[in-house]
Amino acid sequence: MRHLSHSLKNTTFDNNSSPDLVTVYFGWNDHWLARGYPDNQQRPQSKMHNSSRDYLAGLRTYQFFQWGLSGVATSTRDEFRVGLNDYELNLRRMEVGCSGKGIPIWCLNAADAFEFGLPEYLRTSGEVNDPTQVELLHDSYNSVVRRVAEDTNAPCLDVAMEFAAMDKRMLFVDDHIYLFEVGREEIANRLLTLLKKHDMVPEVPPQK
């Protein structure tokens, strides 16, 4: 997320590539535990680095070394990949980067169905340190999205609030994070409604 906010601030759009709208939809990987270093201490990797890593990933010695490091990182660090303050700062940077170029930005937050339980992998992967607090943690990140949208007068599609009134068992797969196609369609339909409300849907010429 940090790298994207930096990119939006420093990207130069020409007449052929300037978007009519930027939608910002985060809310999951950001608040998992870093298991090493938070995102703001990471650096984009070169193609050579990625190729070398892919080659080494097949070697047993490298796999054992990585496993050992991940175990140490998980047991000694409890930082999130993107802390709550950085999360808000990144959203605001994205808004500044877009508005400075005359591009509207819309925010979405992410719903969940944790009232039906947490996926087992979250309890064992080291991505959370207290499973009982995950729902409250996620809500705090969603609240930041609402606040930034309100402060910047950006439209906000509050997916979490709208899905709360629906039968989530029909929307979410078994991990209660990812959506079935019907859930994705619900978001798309709501975005379409917003687009129409803001007169951003071009008229389709009649077929001849």
Side-chain angles (χ1 to χ4, degrees):
M1 183 176 181
R2 171 179 173 270
H3 298 309
L4 179 56
S5 65
H6 177 79
S7 297
L8 282 173
K9 187 176 181 180
N10 293 281
T11 297
T12 300
F13 296 107
D14 58 34
N15 292 332
N16 295 320
S17 66
S18 180
D20 297 314
L21 172 69
V22 170
T23 57
V24 179
Y25 184 24
F26 289 100
W28 286 112
N29 292 335
D30 299 273
H31 61 52
W32 297 147
L33 292 178
R35 296 194 294 176
Y37 296 96
D39 284 15
N40 62 8
Q41 295 180 26
Q42 304 285 350
R43 295 292 180 268
Q45 305 297 337
S46 66
K47 290 183 179 180
M48 180 177 295
H49 177 277
N50 290 334
S51 297
S52 300
R53 182 194 59 198
D54 292 343
Y55 169 76
L56 290 171
L59 303 179
R60 291 294 185 184
T61 303
Y62 180 79
Q63 292 170 7
F64 179 78
F65 180 69
Q66 287 292 96
W67 174 81
L69 278 182
S70 64
V72 171
T74 301
S75 62
T76 59
R77 302 183 72 95
D78 58 359
E79 295 179 87
F80 298 119
R81 286 188 54 182
V82 180
L84 198 60
N85 290 336
D86 282 340
Y87 186 75
E88 179 168 351
L89 180 61
N90 288 339
L91 289 174
R92 293 186 183 278
R93 282 174 173 168
M94 291 179 199
E95 194 281 329
V96 169
C98 288
S99 62
K101 296 174 172 61
I103 303 168
I105 184 170
W106 293 4
C107 298
L108 296 82
N109 60 25
D112 67 79
F114 285 155
E115 58 265 39
F116 300 114
L118 287 178
E120 185 60 29
Y121 70 80
L122 282 184
R123 301 177 184 275
T124 59
S125 65
E127 290 179 299
V128 299
N129 54 13
D130 186 354
T132 66
Q133 297 299 309
V134 170
E135 194 166 3
L136 289 175
L137 176 65
H138 185 64
D139 288 345
S140 68
Y141 278 69
N142 280 343
S143 294
V144 166
V145 176
R146 298 183 186 105
R147 181 168 66 248
V148 171
E150 182 177 3
D151 289 349
T152 59
N153 294 316
C156 179
L157 179 53
D158 197 335
V159 181
M161 184 181 70
E162 297 201 19
F163 277 19
M166 303 177 67
D167 184 354
K168 293 183 180 180
R169 289 168 294 189
M170 303 297 294
L171 303 174
F172 289 87
V173 302
D174 290 343
D175 69 358
H176 305 144
I177 294 175
Y178 291 99
L179 295 164
F180 286 123
E181 183 175 354
V182 64
R184 297 193 295 270
E185 287 177 351
E186 289 288 347
I187 294 177
N189 288 334
R190 283 164 170 73
L191 272 176
L192 180 59
T193 299
L194 268 179
L195 287 167
K196 290 178 178 178
K197 179 180 178 180
H198 289 266
D199 296 322
M200 297 188 71
V201 178
E203 292 186 9
V204 179
Q207 297 289 333
K208 294 183 179 180

